[in-house]
Each structure stands twice: as structure tokens, then as C-alpha cells.
Amino acid sequence: MDVPASRYRPSSQGFPEVLPTPDYYQTDLVRRVRPNGCFKLHGRMVGLSQAFAGLDIALRATGRDGVLSLHFMRFRLGEVDITGPETIIGPVRDVSEHPSSISPV
């Protein structure tokens, strides 16, 4: 019946005040996310998230025409489909290369 504050311990893992500059491949299409959370791609504004404002993201070719893979640092965020009248970011369906230690159970 202890209160949560009595169990709290600060993490021993440090958190950087400033993120390191992402190191992307030369073949990546790199875009800087604007303060409103959008980036420009082929003349279109694509909404991502204000959480990425001021940061560089990378777009990589996939095996499908008009579909690019969206990355931040080593993390794959989703796919960008530029084939339709609106550019759409779809979710990542397969994240097997970066298994999570977080369990929903």
C-alpha cells in the first residue's frame, strides 16, 4: 500500500538535452520538418507531427512505385504514398527488425 512516490527512482540512463545530428544514407531524400509539423515533398505539404519540428527526416525508396519509407534516425516511422491527389502517411505494419522490450501484457 505504498504510494508511488516512495517507489520512484531516477533513471540511471542519461537523456541528452540536444539530439545528435541524424546520419542518413547519401541516397536518402532528407527533409526538415517545419514548426507546424509538416515537410515539403514534390511540391506538396505532408503532415507528420510537431514533435519532429526542426528535425531532419529521411525518405527512402521502396519496391513500390510512388511509395517512400519515412525514417527518423534509425527508426522507421511509416510509408509515404505520393501516387494519389493527397500525400498520405501510412503506419508501419512490420517492425520486426527493432523488437520492443515493452510488452502489452
Side-chain angles (χ1 to χ4, degrees):
M1 298 299 293
D2 291 339
V3 296
S6 70
R7 300 287 186 176
Y8 173 77
R9 282 181 284 139
S11 174
S12 60
Q13 185 175 6
F15 188 80
E17 290 295 321
V18 178
L19 290 174
T21 303
D23 189 22
Y24 295 126
Y25 300 120
Q26 284 186 321
T27 55
D28 287 345
L29 186 60
V30 178
R31 293 289 184 261
R32 176 143 307 150
V33 180
R34 296 175 183 206
N36 65 357
C38 297
F39 63 94
K40 199 164 190 176
L41 178 64
H42 301 299
R44 301 180 189 187
M45 291 301 288
V46 181
L48 181 57
S49 170
Q50 287 181 330
F52 295 97
L55 300 173
D56 290 338
I57 50 102
L59 297 145
R60 296 182 184 145
T62 64
R64 295 173 291 175
D65 280 345
V67 178
L68 301 170
S69 181
L70 175 64
H71 298 262
F72 175 69
M73 295 186 156
R74 65 181 177 93
F75 302 100
R76 184 170 173 230
L77 302 177
E79 293 182 338
V80 180
D81 185 350
I82 59 173
T83 59
E86 290 186 25
T87 304
I88 298 171
I89 296 179
V92 174
R93 301 225 187 275
D94 178 21
V95 291
S96 59
E97 67 183 85
H98 299 292
S100 174
S101 61
I102 300 172
S103 173
V105 179

